[in-house]
Amino acid sequence: MTLSLRSLSLALGMAIVGLLIVLMLFGDVAMSGDMWFDTFFRWNSLPAEIIWGIRLPRNLAGVGVGAMLGMSGALMQGLLRNPLAEPGLLGVSAGSGLGAALAIVFGLGLTPFAVEGFALAGAVLVAVVLLVFVQRFPQRQSLILLGVGLSSLCGALMALVFNLSPSPVTTSEMLSWMMGSVQNRSWYDVLMCLIGLAVVSGLSLRLGKGLRFLTLGEETARSMGIDMTRLTQVIVIGSSLLAGLSVSVAGVIGFVGLAAPHFVRAFGIKDPYTLIWPSALTGGLMVLVSDGLIRLLPPTADVHLGVLTSLVGAPLFAILAYKSARSWMQD
């Protein structure tokens, strides 16, 4: 099935708006007609706080986090020319998760914005290492190897943090954060998502020529005047910022960045630059749908957002890996 960029973007946008409206109508508290009246005409009332202070920020945060992951995945797959690439490949997500775990272990879990700040700091630290490395070794194979190494190192350090956890309560808090959630998110979290998307969208405006020529190979791209080092640095900065902010807002949510660009490609959009913004919309819709499904489950189930997206994304990853292996064997 083939759709134009405008048609697909419009359909995705309408689906997001429609689902936002539906999710605003349903929640733990049933809203009567009088309560809906208070929501729109009595701003200091409890119903208004439920809708505008709890439900809407949660929904918008879900869209924002998914959009950041989808855009980051599209950038990574375009740079590395690898359909299996996703935001966690370079170790930024693992570094951000390590930062959040350290904040919780240090007893800062109840300090406003402390966990988010540590998570973003962990992402920035990994991004700095990547940028220093790219300055000397811009080849994508080297970048992938370094990313895998950093991800493994951060994962090992996170395991050490878990082992040294001072109490079961602290361990439970870290596990809850690592499994991801947009529950109880605020307008501050929505603002963080908007800032991240705005900054990276600005950075992406000049990537079109580079990403398109890169599909022909690095040597061809260089011969056409593309500065590969600069292109790699811009995409690493953008992807790292998006991945770090997504973890700082909602914890670790896997496979959205991997799946969103593939969903867009299924509609005939192959250009790696054109893919960026539809992938953001797709990622936002995926997280919003997943969070909506979680609300349908019994409260005792306590299924986290990252767990649900991984249950869906892991089989997709296996299918993509199988198809890639077959194509390599045929080549």
Side-chain angles (χ1 to χ4, degrees), residues 14-127:
M14 291 176 62
I16 290 173
V17 172
L19 190 56
L20 279 172
I21 294 173
V22 171
L23 292 179
M24 292 281 285
L25 298 176
F26 299 98
D28 294 335
V29 178
M31 301 283 286
S32 64
D34 292 339
M35 294 176 72
W36 280 111
F37 178 86
D38 292 343
T39 297
F40 291 98
F41 297 102
R42 295 177 182 173
W43 295 98
N44 294 326
S45 64
L46 178 60
E49 176 61 25
I50 292 173
I51 296 298
W52 309 121
I54 299 176
R55 291 185 188 177
L56 186 57
R58 173 178 180 168
N59 295 335
L60 292 179
V63 174
V65 167
M68 289 193 293
L69 291 172
M71 182 179 287
S72 180
L75 288 170
M76 290 298 304
Q77 292 180 16
L79 172 66
L80 301 176
R81 290 177 289 144
N82 188 335
L84 302 181
E86 52 98 22
L89 184 64
L90 297 184
V92 178
S93 297
S96 188
L98 175 62
L102 287 173
I104 294 172
V105 166
F106 292 154
L108 302 176
L110 298 179
T111 303
F113 312 128
V115 176
E116 292 88 342
F118 269 69
L120 190 57
V124 169
L125 182 60
V126 173

Side-chain angles (χ1 to χ4, degrees), residues 22-304:
V22 171
L23 292 179
M24 292 281 285
L25 298 176
F26 299 98
D28 294 335
V29 178
M31 301 283 286
S32 64
D34 292 339
M35 294 176 72
W36 280 111
F37 178 86
D38 292 343
T39 297
F40 291 98
F41 297 102
R42 295 177 182 173
W43 295 98
N44 294 326
S45 64
L46 178 60
E49 176 61 25
I50 292 173
I51 296 298
W52 309 121
I54 299 176
R55 291 185 188 177
L56 186 57
R58 173 178 180 168
N59 295 335
L60 292 179
V63 174
V65 167
M68 289 193 293
L69 291 172
M71 182 179 287
S72 180
L75 288 170
M76 290 298 304
Q77 292 180 16
L79 172 66
L80 301 176
R81 290 177 289 144
N82 188 335
L84 302 181
E86 52 98 22
L89 184 64
L90 297 184
V92 178
S93 297
S96 188
L98 175 62
L102 287 173
I104 294 172
V105 166
F106 292 154
L108 302 176
L110 298 179
T111 303
F113 312 128
V115 176
E116 292 88 342
F118 269 69
L120 190 57
V124 169
L125 182 60
V126 173
V128 169
V129 174
L130 290 170
L131 289 173
V132 172
F133 183 84
V134 166
Q135 186 65 33
R136 187 170 182 181
F137 305 103
Q139 296 83 4
R140 63 190 180 99
Q141 296 89 345
S142 302
L143 186 62
I144 292 173
L145 289 174
L146 176 64
V148 172
L150 289 174
S151 183
S152 299
L153 175 61
C154 291
L157 291 175
M158 198 180 304
L160 180 62
V161 171
F162 274 92
N163 287 335
L164 299 178
S165 174
S167 71
V169 175
T170 303
T171 303
S172 178
E173 289 181 6
M174 287 190 291
L175 282 173
S176 179
W177 182 270
M178 291 301 107
M179 288 189 289
S181 175
V182 290
Q183 189 175 5
N184 299 323
R185 292 310 180 259
S186 66
W187 286 105
Y188 171 80
D189 298 304
V190 177
L191 179 61
M192 289 181 64
C193 295
L194 290 175
I195 291 174
L197 289 169
V199 170
V200 178
S201 294
L203 290 175
S204 302
L205 290 177
R206 298 193 178 187
L207 295 179
K209 183 179 178 181
L211 286 174
R212 286 165 182 148
F213 282 134
L214 191 56
T215 59
L216 304 175
E218 292 184 18
E219 295 300 325
T220 302
R222 288 193 181 93
S223 68
M224 300 300 292
I226 302 301
D227 187 341
M228 284 302 302
T229 300
R230 182 181 177 185
L231 177 67
T232 303
Q233 287 175 337
V234 170
I235 294 179
V236 166
I237 291 173
S239 298
S240 299
L241 177 62
L242 293 172
L245 283 175
S246 70
V247 175
S248 68
V249 170
V252 180
I253 300 176
F255 292 103
V256 173
L258 169 69
H262 286 280
F263 178 86
V264 177
R265 290 191 191 96
F267 288 92
I269 299 177
K270 307 296 183 182
D271 178 27
Y273 178 70
T274 307
L275 201 72
I276 295 174
W277 288 275
S279 296
L281 291 173
T282 301
L285 182 60
M286 290 176 62
V287 173
L288 195 59
V289 169
S290 300
D291 191 47
L293 291 175
I294 288 175
R295 298 184 213 183
L296 296 177
L297 298 174
T300 54
D302 196 25
V303 177
H304 282 68

